[in-house]
Amino acid sequence: MDICRFRAGPQDLSVAADQITSCVAAYVTVDLLLLSRGADIQSALLLTAADTGLLMALCYGILVWYRVAQRFPQTLTALTGCSALLSVLEVPVLWWLDRLQAMHADATLALLALLLIGGWSVAVVGHVLRHALSVGLFRAMVYSVVYFYLAYWLAGWLAPVSG
């Protein structure tokens, strides 16, 4: 939680296997729940596996690139744990958005809330990468934006929206 509030970094986490497993499991579970909201279960499983694999591969790849691969367990724990927490915040907003759309009501506030949570997520990933890679905030934010872009591109490629 302190990482999401920018008060701690991934270096403050332990490298205990149960903590890593718990955070990855929480990430997968929340991701699957959110993705199954608008897709069939097979697509949601595929998207969750792809998203988790992309996160792990990019995390490990960039840590190897910066020659700090030993930070992988703590970085992965921070990224998955924080993403799971922030994704949980999206659940009531998405429920609210669905209700507003069903009533054909103005959904501006719900969309703004989703945008704020998304911006917070980008900032938290940038914060984690800044500490993990020992780079400046601007470079870490660029990496964060690239990660989110790739994740959305991958999701669109695997399960294009029809209609």
Side-chain angles (χ1 to χ4, degrees):
M1 187 62 154
D2 282 342
I3 295 174
C4 290
R5 295 186 302 175
F6 309 106
R7 293 182 178 172
Q11 70 277 6
D12 298 315
L13 298 173
S14 74
V15 292
D18 61 334
Q19 189 173 14
I20 299 167
T21 304
S22 297
C23 286
V24 171
Y27 178 81
V28 168
T29 302
V30 172
D31 207 27
L32 185 60
L33 288 173
L34 287 176
L35 291 172
S36 65
R37 176 184 151 267
D40 60 272
I41 192 65
Q42 290 177 332
S43 295
L45 284 169
L46 176 66
L47 289 171
T48 298
D51 183 46
T52 306
L54 177 69
L55 177 67
M56 292 176 143
L58 289 178
C59 178
Y60 187 73
I62 199 164
L63 290 170
V64 167
W65 178 269
Y66 275 86
R67 300 174 195 245
V68 288
Q70 73 277 6
R71 297 178 183 174
F72 180 70
Q74 292 169 305
T75 306
L76 183 65
T77 301
L79 291 174
T80 55
C82 290
S83 292
L85 280 173
L86 292 173
S87 292
V88 165
L89 295 178
E90 290 180 13
V91 172
V93 177
L94 289 171
W95 178 81
W96 181 32
L97 182 62
D98 287 344
R99 301 268 308 175
L100 290 172
Q101 288 178 336
M103 298 184 312
H104 301 289
D106 182 18
T108 303
L109 285 177
L111 292 172
L112 182 60
L114 280 178
L115 184 65
L116 289 173
I117 295 169
W120 188 6
S121 297
V122 171
V124 167
V125 169
H127 171 73
V128 169
L129 292 176
R130 178 173 65 107
H131 286 278
L133 303 173
S134 301
V135 296
L137 183 58
F138 178 76
R139 183 178 292 184
M141 291 302 292
V142 169
Y143 292 149
S144 177
V145 169
V146 168
Y147 162 70
F148 279 96
Y149 173 77
L150 289 174
Y152 284 112
W153 174 82
L154 183 63
W157 183 68
L158 289 174
V161 177
S162 61

